[in-house]
Amino acid sequence: MKKFIIIAIILTATAVAQYSNLGSAGAQFLQIPVGARATAMGGAYIGIADDASAFFWNPAGLTGVNNFDAHFSYLNWFDLFDISSVAVAYNLPDVGVFTVGLTSVTSDKMEITTETQPNGTGMFFDASDMVLGIAYSRKLTDMFSVGVTAKYVYQRIWNEVADGLAFDLGTRYELGFQNMVIAMSLSNFGPDMKFEGPDLNINYSKDPNLPLSRLAPAKLETDNFALPLHFQVGLSGELYKSDFIKIRGSIDVTHPNDNKERINVGTEIGVFDRLYLRGGYRINYDDEQATFGAGTNLPFSGVLVTFDYSYSIYDILPNVQRISLGVRF
C-alpha cells in the first residue's frame, strides 16, 4: 500500500509539473460532471461514489459493487450539446470489479460561414466527442481500495479528428469511524493530442507573382494540446444517523492543470434509505455555484432501481438539469 501511494504521489507531481499552464488544456468535455447524484452534491463525490457511476469520478469506488450495477445519465449542456453516459460494472469474486463506461457528446448541425459568405454557404457541419474506457478496481485490504481506468478519447469537428489514450487512477481508504472515507483520484493522464483531417490540405503557391510558379500540395499543421489533467482529494462521512434519517457530508479539493484550485462541498439527507435530498456548493468557479437535487430507489424482486435528478445554477449561462437511472442486483 505504501509503495502504491508513493507511486501515485510521484505521478501526480510529475503530471502537475508537466502541464502547468492555465487555460492550456483541450478536450474540455472530459471535465463536464457526470451523474445527477454527484452533481446535486456539488461534485463533492469521490469519497462517496460506490456504484457504477464511480467510473466517472474515482475508479476505486467501484469496489462498492457487490454483483452487477449499471448507471445511465443524460443532460443538455447549455442548450447546445446532448451528453449521454453509461457505465456497467460487474464484480468477479476473488478477482475484482470490471467496468465499461462510455460518454458521448453530440450537437446539432450548424451552417458554415466564411469571410466572403458571412450569412452562410448552404453547407453544414457538426461536432462530436466521445470517451470509451474500461476500469479495474480491487480491495487490497478491508479498508483500502484502488482502481485504474484506461480510456480512448475521441474528438471530431467536421472532418477533423483528434484522438488518444488516457488513464485515471483512484484510491479509497475507509477510516472505520462514522463511515468516513478519504479518497484520491487522478484523471485524464495521457499524452497530448492534435487535430488532423482532410480539410487541412491546401494548395500552396510559393510566389503568386511569378507566372511559372506552380501550386504545390501542402498541409496546415495544428498545435498539440494537453488533456485536462485533474487531481482531486476528498473526505466524506456521516454527520448524523438515526433509524429514519441519515445525513452525509463531503468535501473535495481539486487541482486542474488548466485552472485555479477549487473546493466542492455537498450533503445528502436520506429518509428511510428510500428518499434522498441533496445540495452542494462549488467554490472558486467562474459561473457555477449552487446545486441541489433529489433521488429515490425502489426494490423490485431483488433488483434495486434508482432515480436521481439534479439542478445546477449558473449566473450567466443557462442552468443545467441532469437525470440518472441506476440498476443494481
Side-chain angles (χ1 to χ4, degrees):
M1 184 177 70
K2 291 182 180 179
K3 292 181 179 179
F4 183 85
I5 294 175
I6 292 173
I7 292 173
I9 293 174
I10 292 174
L11 286 175
T12 302
T14 303
V16 172
Q18 184 178 0
Y19 305 116
S20 59
N21 295 328
L22 297 180
S24 62
Q28 287 296 305
F29 78 100
L30 294 174
Q31 299 200 77
I32 299 175
V34 173
R37 183 189 180 196
T39 53
M41 299 183 66
Y45 196 64
I46 67 167
I48 290 180
D50 60 357
D51 57 10
S53 68
F55 175 87
F56 306 103
W57 293 88
N58 180 9
L62 292 166
T63 55
V65 176
N66 294 322
N67 186 21
F68 173 88
D69 197 292
H71 172 88
F72 310 89
S73 67
Y74 169 81
L75 71 140
N76 183 261
W77 190 245
F78 301 140
D79 299 328
L80 295 172
F81 303 95
D82 292 316
I83 303 178
S84 302
S85 301
V86 58
V88 179
Y90 178 70
N91 189 333
L92 195 61
D94 300 324
V95 178
V97 180
F98 293 90
T99 308
V100 177
L102 169 70
T103 294
S104 173
V105 182
T106 58
S107 68
D108 294 332
K109 290 187 176 181
M110 295 168 278
E111 190 170 9
I112 298 173
T113 60
T114 65
E115 293 180 352
T116 58
Q117 296 176 287
N119 295 323
T121 62
M123 299 177 62
F124 294 82
F125 79 99
D126 65 348
S128 65
D129 300 322
M130 182 195 72
V131 57
L132 173 65
I134 181 170
Y136 171 75
S137 57
R138 181 183 175 89
K139 281 193 171 186
L140 299 184
T141 69
D142 292 340
M143 312 291 284
F144 185 69
S145 304
V146 298
V148 61
T149 303
K151 54 192 183 182
Y152 170 70
V153 181
Y154 171 91
Q155 287 194 284
R156 179 181 63 82
I157 303 178
W158 201 10
N159 299 313
E160 278 55 64
V161 171
D163 60 355
L165 293 177
F167 298 89
D168 298 345
L169 177 69
T171 63
R172 188 175 191 271
Y173 184 73
E174 301 175 19
L175 299 179
F177 171 75
Q178 294 293 105
N179 286 329
M180 293 186 67
V181 173
I182 296 178
M184 181 212 75
S185 69
L186 177 68
S187 303
N188 309 318
F189 181 79
D192 292 354
M193 292 171 36
K194 66 182 298 184
F195 278 98
E196 296 181 341
D199 295 319
L200 299 176
N201 297 328
I202 60 173
N203 292 319
Y204 173 73
S205 177
K206 184 176 181 181
D207 190 348
N209 296 319
L210 294 178
L212 297 180
S213 177
R214 294 184 179 182
L215 293 176
K219 184 177 182 180
L220 298 175
E221 188 78 12
T222 61
D223 289 335
N224 294 341
F225 59 87
L227 293 175
L229 188 70
H230 193 217
F231 177 66
Q232 192 163 337
V233 177
L235 174 66
S236 66
E238 285 185 348
L239 304 178
Y240 174 80
K241 181 179 180 180
S242 69
D243 293 337
F244 311 107
I245 296 178
K246 294 180 183 179
I247 302 177
R248 299 183 73 178
S250 60
I251 180 170
D252 289 0
V253 179
T254 76
H255 177 87
N257 69 328
D258 62 341
N259 214 316
K260 53 196 173 186
E261 286 75 15
R262 297 162 172 173
I263 300 175
N264 304 328
V265 181
T267 186
E268 178 182 70
I269 303 174
V271 181
F272 295 108
D273 289 331
R274 288 288 177 263
L275 177 65
Y276 298 90
L277 301 177
R278 306 179 179 109
Y281 195 80
R282 294 161 73 80
I283 301 171
N284 227 12
Y285 288 78
D286 295 330
D287 192 31
E288 184 187 11
Q289 292 182 340
T291 63
F292 60 90
T296 186
N297 59 64
L298 302 171
F300 293 101
S301 301
V303 178
L304 186 67
V305 180
T306 62
F307 301 91
D308 294 303
Y309 168 84
S310 72
Y311 192 88
S312 301
I313 300 175
Y314 288 79
D315 293 333
I316 301 174
L317 297 169
N319 297 331
V320 175
Q321 302 180 66
R322 292 174 174 85
I323 56 174
S324 296
L325 170 68
V327 179
R328 170 177 288 194
F329 59 82

